[in-house]
């Protein structure tokens, strides 16, 4: 009998090529990074190694990776929810910032018992966050305004109004810099196992599981995806499209706002941001790379947090500006997002596979 | 406060605020006509702003500075178009990635060349001149208001005419609209849709580049980190507000310019600067609500007819 090569089906080839594409994208980005490092650095090999494996060298950096991924989990989940419902709502940046401000406003009030104080602060952040992302959703459903524009503008509104509150009623004149009053000890999130990671990590993990459950196992999740893939069909099959979009926007905003609250209460003792934190944009990138799948989001988040930590390490140990890593990040995104990148290779593999299968059937 | 608003200085302030947004919005008009959701104008403007400054500083020639500036923005537009049109990349992601690359890349280059990250003020870069129109300059009251603006501000007005003419009065414009509105039909009619969209994107890149150069070679005499500060996005918003009409878009950018100039003025009267900063963004939201509501009403009317 003729021995034939191992058969694969088309899906297997496709998923294999997804991995190949991602790896190639990362390799291309690394080569470009290496070339840039060659230009700037006087110790290129050392610096390049730091970029690759820097965070693995000590446990402290690994903890930083996890700590950095906590806020990104919130924003990535928030964005993936609205995207699943077909809404290009990029308000997570504003929801995150405003959520942090709202949590600050509650966290500076003295005399609230410990656990309740944390819950109230986070809740305040969540509510304000849901307003920031909810308004574009509401305007879309009521007035058919363009969500990408209104949500982008809401980010700036949230930023400037948030800064107003931080720099006026909440400003601590004795701080010596532009920051809010210090949080009451009762409002600060405790740390896990005496490390630098706050209990916010647990909240983030709960949110990820909640989102995965919501999308895959509930009627609401099904409605959301139906609205996202075909709003007209969803409407004909009796789904209240407007209500679904509004609910998703409010929910996503709440998650983004909680993210902002958890980040400030978990890592700082007062509110000190003076501009956008980029968590919203990073979250958007993760959501899109993970194709809005909550199960993949932790992986994407860890990857991003890892290279950001590398960048910070590199910044400390060399004269390479951390912007280098943002450039690398951008290159990786654009290559992974390029659906036709290496596609002809994949097509050839699929065709070859089908042909050999036909041959086998012919033998039989 | 009123005498400040009805002053020549205030008009100049409006023009200064509107010009970069006008270029960005005209770029967005061309892109939108070809149905390309590009949010990468920030990156094009940033690279053009830096390219123009560096080339003019090293060659001491404004013309070369301008050409290099345009070429820098054009390169980004080309990369965007190649990825979106030929590698089937989600436009939103490609734009996001390029903006990120633009913000970081320009800082990286500035650091490489000057050793500082904040700006290029140590380089002797050139600026575009102000233009005093003879005769008109001497007309009382309106003369001083319409003469003496920067060359690029006047170029901005020509760009509006150019974009209108291009889209509605040329063969290329018709092809761009066809490729944008109904690519299948356009393809059937023998138009190379991808090539047409690529050309539209490149034109849009040239226009956006001038917006970037206005920032670093007219409004400011040097490049500052993240000098665009979201103007590319506001340009997209202005385009959206007017549904892609060149003249309507221009009016929207002037409204933005007025609210920004007003914000600057309010600041000097000790109003919290944040309230002033919020104004243009609130205007955009309001505008998109009005436009959307009007569209809904029109759709209802059509439904009632049939």
């Amino acid at each position: 009998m003729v021995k034939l090569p191992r058969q694969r089906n088309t899906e297997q080839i496709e998923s294999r090529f997804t991995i190949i594409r991602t790896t190639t994208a990362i390799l291309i980005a690394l080569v470009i990074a290496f070339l840039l490092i060659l230009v700037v650095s006087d110790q290129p090999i050392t610096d390049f190694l730091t970029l690759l494996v820097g965070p693995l060298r000590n446990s402290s950096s690994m903890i930083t990776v996890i700590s950095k991924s906590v806020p990104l989990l919130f924003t990535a989940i928030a964005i993936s929810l609205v995207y699943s419902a077909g809404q290009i709502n990029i308000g997570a940046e504003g929801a995150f910032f405003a959520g942090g401000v709202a949590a600050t406003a509650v966290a500076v009030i003295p005399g609230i018992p410990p656990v309740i104080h944390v819950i109230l602060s986070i809740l305040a952040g969540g509510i304000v966050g849901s307003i920031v992302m909810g308004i574009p959703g509401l305007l879309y459903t009521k007035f058919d305004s363009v969500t990408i524009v209104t949500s982008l503008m809401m980010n700036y509104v949230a930023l400037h109004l948030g800064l107003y509150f931080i720099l006026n009623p909440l400003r601590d004149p004795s701080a010596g810099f532009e920051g809010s009053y210090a949080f009451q000890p009762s409002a600060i999130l405790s740390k896990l196992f005496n490390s630098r990671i706050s209990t916010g990590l647990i909240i983030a993990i709960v949110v990820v599981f909640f989102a995965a459950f919501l999308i895959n196992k509930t009627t609401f999740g099904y409605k959301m995806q139906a609205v996202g893939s075909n709003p007209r069909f969803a409407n004909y099959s009796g789904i209240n499209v407007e209500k679904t979009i509004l609910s998703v926007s409010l929910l996503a905003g709440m998650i983004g706002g909680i993210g902002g609250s958890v980040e400030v209460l978990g890592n700082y003792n007062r509110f000190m941001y003076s501009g956008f934190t980029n968590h919203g944009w990073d979250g958007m990138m993760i959501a899109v790379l993970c194709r809005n799948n909550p199960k993949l989001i932790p992986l994407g988040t860890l990857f991003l947090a890892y290279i950001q930590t590398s960048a910070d390490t590199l910044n400390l140990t060399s004269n390479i500006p951390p912007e280098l890593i943002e450039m690398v990040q951008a290159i990786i995104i654009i290559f992974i997002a390029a659906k036709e990148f290496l596609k002809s290779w994949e097509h050839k593999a699929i065709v070859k596979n089908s042909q050999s299968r036909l041959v086998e059937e012919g033998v039989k | 406060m009123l005498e400040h608003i009805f002053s020549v200085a205030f008009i100049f302030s409006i023009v200064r605020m509107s010009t970069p947004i006008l270029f960005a919005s005209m770029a967005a008009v061309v892109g939108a006509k070809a149905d390309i959701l590009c949010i990468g104008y920030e990156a094009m403007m940033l690279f053009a702003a830096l390219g123009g400054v560096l080339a003019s500083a090293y060659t001491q020639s404004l013309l070369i500075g301008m050409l290099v500036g345009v070429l820098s923005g054009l390169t980004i537009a080309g990369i965007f178009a190649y990825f979106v049109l030929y590698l089937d990349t989600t436009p939103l992601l490609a734009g996001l990635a390029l903006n990120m690359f633009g913000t970081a890349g320009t800082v990286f280059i500035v650091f490489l060349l000057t050793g500082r990250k904040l700006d290029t003020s140590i380089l002797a870069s050139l600026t575009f001149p102000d233009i005093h129109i003879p005769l008109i300059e001497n007309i009382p009251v309106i003369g001083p208001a319409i003469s003496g603006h920067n060359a690029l501000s006047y170029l901005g007005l020509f760009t509006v005419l150019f974009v209108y003419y291009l889209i509605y009065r040329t063969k290329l414009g018709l092809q761009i609209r066809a490729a944008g509105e109904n690519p299948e039909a356009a393809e059937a009619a023998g138009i190379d849709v991808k090539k047409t969209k690529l050309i539209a994107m490149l034109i849009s890149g040239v226009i956006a580049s001038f917006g970037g150069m206005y920032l670093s070679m007219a409004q400011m005499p040097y490049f500052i980190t993240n000098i665009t500060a979201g103007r590319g996005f506001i340009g997209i918003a202005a385009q959206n507000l007017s549904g892609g009409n060149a003249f309507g878009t221009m009016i929207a950018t002037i409204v933005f310019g007025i609210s920004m100039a007003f914000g600057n003025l309010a600041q000097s009267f000790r109003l919290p600067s944040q309230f002033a900063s919020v104004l243009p963004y609130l205007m955009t939201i309001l505008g998109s609500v009005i436009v959307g509501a009007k569209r809904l009403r029109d759709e209802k009317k059509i439904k009632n007819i049939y």
Side-chain angles (χ1 to χ4, degrees):
Chain A
M1 204 185 113
V2 191
K3 184 139 168 76
L4 287 159
R6 200 163 65 89
Q7 299 295 308
R8 288 194 182 88
N9 61 31
T10 310
E11 283 83 36
Q12 273 173 324
I13 296 181
E14 273 169 1
S15 70
R16 195 166 55 114
F17 266 89
T18 309
I19 298 169
I20 293 178
R21 249 200 304 281
T22 312
T23 327
T24 318
I26 294 171
L27 280 178
I28 292 175
L30 286 178
V31 170
I32 296 177
F34 184 65
L35 294 177
L36 288 172
I37 288 175
L38 268 185
V39 176
V40 195
S41 169
D42 24 62
Q43 38 165 14
I45 305 292
T46 325
D47 289 345
F48 190 65
L49 282 177
T50 309
L51 175 67
L52 284 184
V53 295
L56 295 174
R57 283 191 189 135
N58 54 50
S59 60
S60 157
S61 298
M62 287 310 285
I63 286 170
T64 310
V65 172
I66 294 170
S67 180
K68 267 184 191 293
S69 60
V70 170
L72 296 177
L73 281 173
F74 288 99
T75 49
I77 291 286
I79 296 268
S80 69
L81 286 177
V82 277
Y83 278 19
S84 306
Q87 284 279 295
I88 306 183
N89 188 327
I90 42 183
E93 188 74 50
F96 188 90
F97 189 87
V101 174
T104 304
V106 177
V108 296
I109 303 169
I112 304 175
V115 180
I116 299 173
H117 202 172
V118 171
I119 294 174
L120 284 180
S121 305
I122 292 179
L123 207 61
I127 291 169
V128 169
S130 68
I131 295 173
V132 174
M133 282 184 85
I135 287 177
L138 180 74
L139 295 179
Y140 173 77
T141 55
K142 291 279 172 254
F143 303 108
D144 198 26
S145 58
V146 186
T147 311
I148 184 170
V149 173
T150 47
S151 59
L152 188 71
M153 297 297 123
M154 272 310 288
N155 280 344
Y156 287 99
V157 173
L159 172 74
H160 290 294
L161 291 186
L163 281 178
Y164 168 75
F165 284 107
I166 293 301
L167 297 178
N168 293 288
L170 294 172
R171 181 169 181 184
D172 184 357
S174 65
F177 52 87
E178 294 189 336
S180 76
Y181 287 105
F183 302 139
Q184 295 293 319
S186 53
I188 289 176
L189 278 171
S190 53
K191 303 284 180 190
L192 285 174
F193 322 114
N194 289 328
S195 69
R196 276 180 294 123
I197 304 169
S198 77
T199 35
L201 176 65
I202 295 172
I203 305 176
I205 291 170
V206 170
V207 165
V208 172
F209 276 103
F210 167 75
F213 179 77
L214 187 77
I215 287 187
N216 298 318
K217 302 274 182 222
T218 64
T219 332
F220 182 72
Y222 179 75
K223 282 183 187 172
M224 234 168 75
Q225 284 176 307
V227 170
S229 55
N230 192 340
R232 280 197 180 169
F233 179 74
N235 193 21
Y236 285 132
S237 53
I239 295 170
N240 188 337
V241 174
E242 298 185 353
K243 202 179 134 197
T244 311
I245 287 177
L246 187 58
S247 325
V248 172
S249 309
L250 288 171
L251 179 68
M254 171 155 268
I255 293 173
I258 290 177
S261 319
V262 164
E263 180 66 2
V264 294
L265 299 177
N267 295 317
Y268 304 95
N269 59 358
R270 60 177 85 228
F271 191 98
M272 290 182 293
Y273 297 133
S274 56
F276 282 135
T277 57
N278 267 334
H279 287 108
W281 291 112
D282 289 346
M284 174 170 158
M285 180 196 316
I286 297 167
V288 182
L289 292 183
C290 299
R291 296 183 183 79
N292 305 326
N293 183 350
K295 287 176 191 160
L296 290 178
I297 280 176
L299 212 66
T301 308
L302 278 177
F303 171 68
L304 195 65
Y306 181 90
I307 56 174
Q308 286 181 348
T309 310
S310 289
D312 290 350
T313 319
L314 207 54
N315 191 35
L316 290 176
T317 57
S318 71
N319 57 349
I320 294 169
E323 280 76 18
L324 175 94
I325 216 70
E326 284 173 41
M327 296 162 77
V328 171
Q329 218 172 305
I331 296 165
I332 295 176
I333 296 163
I334 202 166
F335 274 103
I336 293 182
K339 294 187 204 100
E340 288 290 325
F341 176 55
L342 300 182
K343 201 76 176 188
S344 60
W345 192 17
E346 181 181 341
H347 278 308
K348 271 179 205 153
I350 291 172
V351 168
K352 208 173 147 195
N353 178 53
S354 318
Q355 278 171 346
S356 70
R357 218 193 249 167
L358 283 176
V359 168
E360 186 195 32
E361 275 161 20
V363 169
K364 278 175 186 169
Chain B
M1 198 162 175
L2 275 178
E3 73 264 31
H4 290 275
I5 291 175
F6 294 105
S7 68
V8 171
F10 191 65
I11 289 172
F12 268 72
S13 173
I14 294 172
V15 173
R16 281 167 63 85
M17 292 296 138
S18 305
T19 303
I21 304 173
L22 182 66
F23 280 112
S25 71
M26 286 304 131
V29 166
V30 178
K33 284 291 173 207
D35 194 30
I36 305 171
L37 178 66
C38 176
I39 60 165
Y41 298 117
E42 286 278 307
M44 298 176 204
M45 290 170 81
L46 277 170
F47 271 106
L50 183 61
V53 160
L54 294 181
S56 74
Y58 288 119
T59 62
Q60 288 300 310
S61 154
L62 188 60
L63 183 69
I64 295 177
M66 188 181 89
L67 290 178
V68 172
V70 169
L71 213 61
S72 315
L74 201 58
T75 311
I76 300 292
I79 295 174
F80 176 85
Y82 179 71
F83 269 91
V84 169
L85 298 173
Y86 295 93
L87 291 179
D88 196 19
T89 313
T90 319
L92 197 67
L93 264 191
L96 178 76
L98 283 178
N99 284 346
M100 197 174 186
F101 189 80
T103 320
T106 46
V107 176
F108 191 82
I109 295 170
V110 169
F111 177 74
L112 209 63
L113 294 177
T114 67
R116 324 182 324 146
K117 279 189 184 177
L118 207 58
D119 57 47
T120 61
S121 57
I122 56 165
L123 300 175
S125 59
L126 306 178
T127 54
F128 285 93
D130 291 341
I131 292 194
H132 294 274
I133 311 166
L135 295 179
I136 290 182
E137 201 180 3
N138 303 326
I139 303 172
V141 189
I142 57 164
I146 51 179
S147 173
H149 296 284
N150 191 273
L152 289 186
S153 295
Y154 295 110
L155 184 70
L157 288 180
F158 280 111
T159 307
V160 178
L161 293 175
F162 166 76
V163 166
Y164 176 81
Y165 185 80
L166 172 80
I167 298 288
Y168 292 104
R169 294 281 183 275
T170 64
K171 194 180 159 200
L172 178 64
L174 183 66
Q175 288 176 340
I176 290 176
R177 280 184 292 148
E181 280 168 27
N182 196 337
E184 287 87 6
E187 198 78 57
I191 298 171
D192 187 340
V193 171
K194 278 189 182 175
K195 201 177 127 198
T196 310
K197 286 190 171 191
L198 174 70
I199 294 170
M201 210 55 240
L202 293 179
I203 294 173
S204 156
V206 173
I207 300 174
S209 299
F210 279 102
M213 284 189 286
Y214 179 82
L215 292 171
S216 65
M217 299 170 78
Q219 201 181 66
M220 294 295 288
Y222 47 80
F223 181 87
I224 307 171
T225 301
N226 200 10
I227 196 167
T228 50
R231 283 182 180 86
F233 288 117
I234 297 181
I236 297 169
Q239 179 273 327
N240 251 299
L241 287 186
S242 60
N245 173 301
F247 294 109
T249 304
M250 180 177 79
I251 293 169
T253 59
I254 294 172
V255 172
F256 279 126
I258 292 174
S259 57
M260 283 178 169
F262 190 74
N264 290 346
L265 196 65
Q267 230 165 304
S268 57
F269 285 89
R270 294 208 194 135
L271 276 158
S273 66
Q274 289 85 11
F275 289 145
S277 318
V278 156
L279 213 60
Y281 307 114
L282 284 179
M283 298 284 293
T284 317
I285 295 177
L286 188 71
S288 75
V289 165
I290 293 171
V291 172
K294 190 171 165 291
R295 195 169 52 225
L296 277 185
R297 210 187 55 197
D298 292 350
E299 275 168 18
K300 264 187 198 148
K301 267 189 199 161
I302 293 171
K303 261 187 200 160
N304 288 342
I305 292 170
Y306 298 106

